[in-house]
Amino acid sequence: GSVGTDIPWAVKLEEKAKYDVIFDSLIPVNGFLSGEKVKPVLLNSKLPVDVLGRVWELSDIDHDGLLDRDEFAVAMFLVYCALEKEPVPMSLPPALVPPSKRKSFSV
Amino acid sequence: IDVLSLRKPRSFTGSPFRTTNPFLDESLKDVQPSPINPFSSFFEEREKRSRTT
């Protein structure tokens, strides 16, 4: 693909650490969080459901209905963007694709 | 890839597919608010900002 693996991830290290703490506090199963666990947390952002739905679509990169650590960080990043009144993109910008997903990621 | 089929709600039962997007189903009203609120500090911060201006 044309997605370079050298673009730094938009999620900063210290932000990732913060999101990891939240991720772990939700008690992931085999390293994954189900939608039922993530949903109430994202609803706490008080964002409209359609915005959160888009956030989920973008962050569940492999569309398995589960979020791993990196995907969860993307979701949190997008929710914070939306809270700052930044529009949620229609498709995931390459910089937001976790480095661990870039090999299999194609646009 | 058939993009249109991805957007169709999969409401029929016995489907091998499941709705991967938890925000698309209609069971939102059953969701209990999570005690984990990573955004509370964000809201406090914003409140503080709006109070000082």
Side-chain angles (χ1 to χ4, degrees), chain A residues 2-15:
Chain A
S2 56
V3 179
T5 48
D6 49 345
I7 318 169
W9 196 21
V11 181
K12 304 271 184 300
L13 264 177
E14 63 264 30
E15 292 173 350

Side-chain angles (χ1 to χ4, degrees), chain A residues 71-82:
Chain A
E71 291 173 333
F72 181 75
V74 173
M76 294 298 293
F77 183 92
L78 289 170
V79 169
Y80 276 110
C81 282

Side-chain angles (χ1 to χ4, degrees), chain A residues 22 25-26 35-36 39-46 49 52-54 56-57 60 63-66 76 79-80 83-85, chain B residues 6-7 18-43 46 49:
Chain A
I22 303 164
S25 65
L26 289 167
E36 290 85 75
K39 186 157 74 168
V41 177
L42 294 196
L43 284 173
N44 275 337
S45 67
K46 301 189 179 85
V49 176
L52 293 176
R54 185 127 50 91
W56 179 276
E57 289 286 326
D60 185 13
H63 291 281
D64 58 358
L66 302 163
M76 294 298 293
V79 169
Y80 276 110
L83 285 172
E84 297 283 5
K85 302 279 186 288
Chain B
L6 291 174
R7 302 215 67 87
R18 48 202 190 114
T19 312
T20 54
N21 190 330
F23 295 95
L24 290 184
D25 63 37
E26 298 299 310
S27 57
L28 272 175
K29 44 192 171 296
D30 304 328
V31 173
Q32 298 296 311
S34 172
I36 297 168
N37 190 348
F39 312 105
S40 54
S41 58
F42 178 89
F43 290 127
R46 192 158 63 179
R49 255 184 282 163

Side-chain angles (χ1 to χ4, degrees), chain A residues 11-24:
Chain A
V11 181
K12 304 271 184 300
L13 264 177
E14 63 264 30
E15 292 173 350
K16 178 64 163 54
K18 210 167 63 181
Y19 301 154
D20 276 353
V21 172
I22 303 164
F23 183 88
D24 289 328

Side-chain angles (χ1 to χ4, degrees), chain A residues 3 7 9-10 58 77-78 89-98 102 105:
Chain A
V3 179
I7 318 169
W9 196 21
L58 294 178
F77 183 92
L78 289 170
M90 294 309 287
S91 61
L92 201 61
L96 254 182
V97 179
R102 289 188 184 177
F105 186 78

